[in-house]
Amino acid sequence: MSFLPRHVFPQLPSLPRSYFLGHHKSGLTKMKSLLSSIDLVIECRDYRVPLTSRNPLFESSLEGKERIIVYTKRDLGGGARDSRNEDVIRKWHGATPCMFIRNGKDESSSDGGDYKARKSVLGLLDLLRQHAQSRWKLVGHRIMIVGMPNVGKSTLLNALRAHGIHKGKVAATGAQPGVTRKVSSGVKIVPSEDDIAALEPGMRGKVQGVGGGIYLLDTPGVFIPYVPDAHAMMKLALCGSVKDTIIPPVMLADYLLYHMNLHSPTLYADYCSATNDVVELLSAIAQKTGRLGKGGAVDTEATALWMIQKWRQGMMGRFLLDRVDEGALELAKVEEEGVAPSMNQARRAERERRRERNRARGEK
């Protein structure tokens, strides 16, 4: 009998629906206060979840400011020849510039990294230079980079700095969200014309300056105050926008298995034959990778985390979790207008959800 994947994932009534932390709120407040001094906003979204990683808070809080939408981790969402999704996403944004950045091997190094990743960063640098040249400022061009937690803002800043002024990593990065907790001061990513003039003649052709230079302000990731759709919360958790301790790893691995099967069960063929049973898959992975506890028992949580990390690295499939078609963005906006509660309502709903979960566990 041929394998039939699940086409519906089980309901998740007790799933946490918020990861809006204190430094998210304070960071957003700081961004608003700085907006008058900002010339351009770069909004980063995760290419694997182009709709789900869109934060409506930025639409209202940063309204009226020019922006570029940058989809990070492009290489983790499909092959280089898969241009259809890029074309559709560009149509979503109309006249707003939209770019796709590849992770590559090491974009933050000034002396190498994946060629296509470097090329995508250089393309963004050219766009930023053009924007600055059209609005020449002696004091420099100030750009703010924003986005959901762990979409790659700091990694992109490091890459722009590496290729723009050939200097090393300045922003801390990590696999878990929350590394950047405050809005940074401006980091120079493109030299000023005076900087170029001060260089030795042989060095002047190696870097391109503009006006008073270009400075980039890194910001903390800001989560959505409340996520009404359980699938959206699971997608964000899979992509690393939520700490791995918030949602049980086995549940998250099961959701990943659900999506892997919809694409191709061969993605995990090195470990297990096609299955809808996450425990069966995790047991097979644990046996092959040695993730066994005392007495040879399978460490399911550790194995689930290993599986999730491998997918995040592109080693267990490269595919999008969101549906991408021309009407998807408008549909998402309509759904947000219909169900999005205020922050206070979101907090009350989350407290009630926790009470129900505790009652179900027999806790007070």
Side-chain angles (χ1 to χ4, degrees):
M1 183 182 294
S2 60
F3 173 72
L4 294 176
R6 293 171 289 179
H7 288 280
V8 177
F9 194 76
Q11 293 291 320
L12 300 166
S14 63
L15 189 75
R17 302 296 181 88
S18 180
Y19 189 64
F20 189 72
L21 306 178
H23 70 274
H24 296 179
K25 183 178 180 181
S26 59
L28 189 62
T29 301
K30 182 67 173 179
M31 292 177 214
K32 291 180 186 177
S33 70
L34 292 171
L35 205 57
S36 61
S37 67
I38 298 299
D39 299 293
L40 179 69
V41 171
I42 295 176
E43 183 183 342
C44 291
R45 300 177 186 176
D46 191 319
Y47 180 73
R48 296 168 296 180
V49 280
L51 286 172
T52 307
S53 60
R54 168 183 166 271
N55 192 336
L57 284 178
F58 295 133
E59 302 292 330
S60 55
S61 301
L62 309 179
E63 187 178 7
K65 188 61 64 175
E66 281 189 82
R67 74 176 64 190
I68 296 173
I69 307 297
V70 172
Y71 287 91
T72 60
K73 310 180 186 183
R74 166 63 184 86
D75 48 324
L76 298 179
R81 296 181 181 178
D82 181 18
S83 60
R84 175 198 162 275
N85 288 333
E86 291 185 18
D87 293 339
V88 172
I89 291 171
R90 285 192 180 96
K91 288 180 181 178
W92 288 351
H93 300 297
T96 302
C98 170
M99 297 199 70
F100 301 86
I101 301 294
R102 301 171 63 87
N103 267 19
K105 296 174 184 176
D106 186 9
E107 284 188 20
S108 64
S109 67
S110 60
D111 60 351
D114 178 80
Y115 167 74
K116 291 179 180 177
R118 186 165 63 249
K119 185 178 179 181
S120 65
V121 173
L122 291 174
L124 178 56
L125 271 173
D126 285 343
L127 187 59
L128 299 181
R129 287 193 190 97
Q130 291 169 21
H131 191 274
Q133 286 169 348
S134 66
R135 298 157 181 80
W136 195 96
K137 293 174 68 176
L138 181 63
V139 295
H141 208 63
R142 286 166 60 85
I143 299 173
M144 181 184 289
I145 187 167
V146 304
M148 293 275 276
N150 212 20
V151 293
K153 299 180 297 298
S154 298
T155 299
L156 180 57
L157 185 156
N158 288 332
L160 290 168
R161 175 179 163 87
H163 297 299
I165 62 173
H166 301 291
K167 290 194 175 180
K169 179 176 178 179
V170 68
T173 58
Q176 292 293 298
V179 175
T180 304
R181 302 181 75 86
K182 293 182 179 180
V183 177
S184 73
S185 56
V187 174
K188 185 179 286 187
I189 60 169
V190 172
S192 67
E193 293 173 357
D194 288 343
D195 292 334
I196 300 299
L199 293 174
E200 294 292 330
M203 292 292 294
R204 291 174 189 171
K206 296 183 179 181
V207 289
Q208 299 178 47
V210 58
I214 299 178
Y215 297 84
L216 191 61
L217 282 71
D218 198 9
T219 66
V222 177
F223 203 77
I224 305 166
Y226 181 75
V227 184
D229 179 18
H231 282 268
M233 191 71 181
M234 294 290 277
K235 290 174 184 178
L236 291 169
L238 262 184
C239 291
S241 286
V242 176
K243 277 194 175 179
D244 289 338
T245 54
I246 301 299
I247 295 176
V250 176
M251 180 188 294
L252 205 53
D254 191 25
Y255 191 68
L256 175 56
L257 174 61
Y258 162 71
H259 276 279
M260 291 170 81
N261 280 336
L262 292 177
H263 287 273
S264 174
T266 60
L267 294 172
Y268 53 87
D270 288 344
Y271 306 99
C272 182
S273 58
T275 180
N276 287 314
D277 185 344
V278 70
V279 174
E280 179 184 351
L281 175 58
L282 293 176
S283 297
I285 291 174
Q287 293 290 340
K288 289 205 172 185
T289 61
R291 280 167 174 75
L292 303 173
K294 192 173 181 180
V298 173
D299 189 337
T300 53
E301 287 209 357
T303 307
L305 285 171
W306 181 90
M307 174 182 167
I308 292 163
Q309 289 295 338
K310 288 297 179 183
W311 179 77
R312 288 173 182 167
Q313 296 164 9
M315 299 173 70
M316 291 193 79
R318 297 174 181 235
F319 52 84
L320 274 64
L321 300 175
D322 280 345
R323 177 174 66 92
V324 173
D325 58 48
E326 291 190 22
L329 179 60
E330 289 306 314
L331 179 61
K333 289 180 178 179
V334 170
E335 290 175 349
E336 284 166 7
E337 291 172 1
V339 300
S342 69
M343 289 189 189
N344 287 334
Q345 288 173 317
R347 292 189 190 101
R348 285 197 295 270
E350 185 62 20
R351 283 197 297 269
E352 183 58 33
R353 195 178 302 277
R354 287 174 184 166
R355 290 192 194 101
E356 290 176 2
R357 190 162 61 244
N358 289 340
R359 282 196 292 268
R361 292 172 179 168
E363 299 175 5
K364 293 182 179 180

